[in-house]
């Protein structure tokens, strides 16, 4: 199996969408830093919030839903409560029924905390078979595609 491509060469300016998220007291683990599972939750939250607010995707009523089929995260530096995390998102690859989101997470001092990717496949809500990404969503995703 080929190794997943990393995003180490990505410059902050290459992310098209940004959200700043405060860490919470409960995000810290026994070691005093934000636990790894929180990074995945942040990726999922920022991506889905963008799809709902910007692309008009309704995960409750849409006949097509987006399932995560792959996720990956590389940790670069620690972050702890009460810091904030700026999460940058872009589309690395836009297919017919799938999209690869690429994410960079930065501490408030600008330090890269983690980078990762998240792959969604759009499927029919009932049949769970791949379908084309809804056109209105695709148009918005196209604005985030890496040049």
């Amino acid at each position: 199996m080929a190794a997943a491509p990393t995003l180490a060469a990505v410059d902050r300016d290459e992310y098209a969408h940004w959200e700043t998220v405060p860490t919470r007291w409960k995000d810290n683990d026994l070691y005093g830093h934000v636990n790894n599972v929180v990074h995945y939750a942040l990726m999922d939250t920022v991506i889905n919030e963008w799809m709902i607010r910007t692309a008009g995707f309704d995960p409750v009523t849409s006949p097509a839903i987006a399932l995560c089929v792959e996720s990956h995260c590389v940790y670069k530096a620690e972050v702890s409560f009460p810091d904030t995390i700026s999460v940058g998102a872009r589309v690395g690859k836009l297919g017919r029924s799938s999209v690869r989101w690429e994410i960079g997470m930065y501490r408030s001092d600008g330090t890269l905390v983690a980078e990762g990717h998240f792959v969604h496949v759009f499927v029919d809500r009932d049949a769970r078979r791949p379908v084309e990404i809804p056109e209105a969503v695709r148009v918005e995703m196209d604005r985030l595609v890496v040049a």
Side-chain angles (χ1 to χ4, degrees), residues 16 50-51 54-57 91 94-96 98-99 101 122 132-146:
W50 179 90
M51 286 201 313
T54 303
F57 181 69
V91 171
L94 185 56
R96 183 187 71 76
S98 66
V99 58
W101 300 95
F122 282 77
E132 289 191 20
I133 297 171
E135 186 58 28
V137 176
R138 173 181 289 289
V139 165
E140 293 300 327
M141 285 177 175
D142 197 45
R143 298 175 199 263
L144 301 182
V145 171
V146 177

Side-chain angles (χ1 to χ4, degrees), residues 8-30:
V10 173
D11 186 276
R12 250 185 104 104
D13 296 337
E14 294 181 46
Y15 293 106
H17 175 73
W18 286 93
E19 293 287 333
T20 300
V21 183
T23 57
R24 302 163 302 175
W25 175 253
K26 73 177 193 166
D27 293 337
N28 279 6
D29 62 16
L30 184 64

Side-chain angles (χ1 to χ4, degrees), residues 37-100:
V37 71
V38 174
H39 297 79
Y40 283 95
L42 287 175
M43 285 193 282
D44 192 26
T45 298
V46 167
I47 291 164
N48 281 288
E49 181 179 18
W50 179 90
M51 286 201 313
I52 293 165
R53 292 182 191 267
T54 303
F57 181 69
D58 186 342
V60 177
T61 63
S62 175
I65 58 173
L67 299 181
C68 176
V69 298
E70 180 182 330
S71 61
H72 181 79
C73 191
V74 178
Y75 306 96
K76 304 289 187 173
E78 290 184 323
V79 62
S80 299
F81 174 82
D83 211 344
T84 57
I85 300 174
S86 293
V87 182
R90 67 188 202 162
V91 171
K93 182 177 181 191
L94 185 56
R96 183 187 71 76
S97 62
S98 66
V99 58
R100 176 188 158 107

